[in-house]
Amino acid sequence: MTDEPVTRGFVGRRRPAQSDRLPPGQYDTGQLWPVLSAEPTPAVDRDRWELTVDGAVLEPHTWDWAALRALPHATTTVDIHCVTTWSRFDTPFTGVSVETLLDVCGVATGATHVVAHSRTGYTTNLPLDDVRADRAWVVWDADGSPLTPEHGGPVRLLVPHLYFWKSAKWLTRLELLDHDEPGFWERGGYHDRGDPWREQRYQGDP
């Protein structure tokens, strides 16, 4: 699962936006990176881990750990925002752009959404446009070190322009669809898209 609340009641400390980098209702957590999950951290054997991209693609493909890291990759420094109201600035992640994976598989005509699947069975849905054009990455390092299990290691999705529950931990599959299919938190009342700048926390938010 990802760094999000178990219940709607957890809202953290609210502060007004302090800069053009801090979305409304968020606070700057500094160097702290809170860990919030709704289930125990799984034990994932990196040597047996695989990532599959399938569904509405021209050719499904699966990468193991070595094959994924052999793809062109880079370090990107981003701000991340959790729906529980914390934000963390200038966080470096290393990984491969989702666009690179889609280039390998080819996107089928009519594909509109992607569902990220975790080792635990957790899912989250995203519009396909939100993971294209180098807006999303599959990452294995953070802050210059391998992702720890509690933060989604060995590999997690990173979609920094949306609330962090969209950046699924313990990633094992990206499934392209020709329709929207709500994931775990979305079925529980969270917003389908989750734009922090529009405070899209719950269903019904604009």
Side-chain angles (χ1 to χ4, degrees):
M1 206 150 296
T2 191
D3 307 304
E4 298 303 329
V6 176
T7 69
R8 184 176 179 132
F10 184 89
V11 296
R13 295 175 293 155
R14 284 185 174 273
R15 298 179 185 175
Q18 299 171 359
S19 76
D20 59 2
R21 296 175 62 187
L22 191 64
Q26 298 291 113
Y27 71 94
D28 178 3
T29 191
Q31 293 302 304
L32 296 177
W33 186 354
V35 177
L36 297 169
S37 296
E39 59 190 349
T41 298
V44 181
D45 184 348
R46 190 174 68 182
D47 294 331
R48 301 180 66 180
W49 171 89
E50 292 182 331
L51 173 67
T52 296
V53 177
D54 63 5
V57 297
L58 302 182
E59 291 192 25
H61 196 90
T62 297
W63 293 265
D64 63 13
W65 176 252
L68 184 76
R69 289 173 60 92
L71 292 171
H73 56 274
T75 298
T76 183
T77 299
V78 298
D79 301 338
I80 53 179
H81 310 289
C82 180
V83 74
T84 60
T85 73
W86 62 261
S87 292
R88 191 176 193 257
F89 293 155
D90 298 320
T91 306
F93 290 92
T94 300
V96 59
S97 171
V98 171
E99 188 70 32
T100 298
L101 306 181
L102 297 180
D103 285 345
V104 172
C105 297
V107 176
T109 301
T112 60
H113 288 79
V114 60
V115 175
H117 296 257
S118 295
R119 170 68 175 79
T120 58
Y122 173 84
T123 60
T124 190
N125 58 310
L126 301 112
L128 185 57
D129 286 347
D130 277 317
V131 302
R132 303 212 66 175
D134 296 330
R135 304 183 78 194
W137 295 265
V138 173
V139 297
W140 51 78
D141 281 3
D143 293 325
S145 299
L147 270 176
T148 60
E150 61 266 27
H151 285 306
V155 170
R156 77 178 296 157
L157 184 63
L158 173 68
V159 192
H161 65 284
L162 300 180
Y163 282 126
F164 215 41
W165 89 79
K166 296 291 187 177
S167 296
K169 294 179 179 181
W170 313 304
L171 186 68
T172 59
R173 183 185 179 201
L174 294 173
E175 179 189 14
L176 274 64
L177 300 173
D178 62 1
H179 61 279
D180 192 12
E181 189 171 294
F184 178 88
W185 286 117
E186 295 82 13
R187 292 192 301 271
Y190 281 76
H191 199 278
D192 277 350
R193 183 156 185 265
D195 182 343
W197 294 98
R198 299 180 64 184
E199 289 198 272
Q200 293 176 334
R201 302 176 190 275
Y202 307 109
Q203 298 290 345
D205 289 341

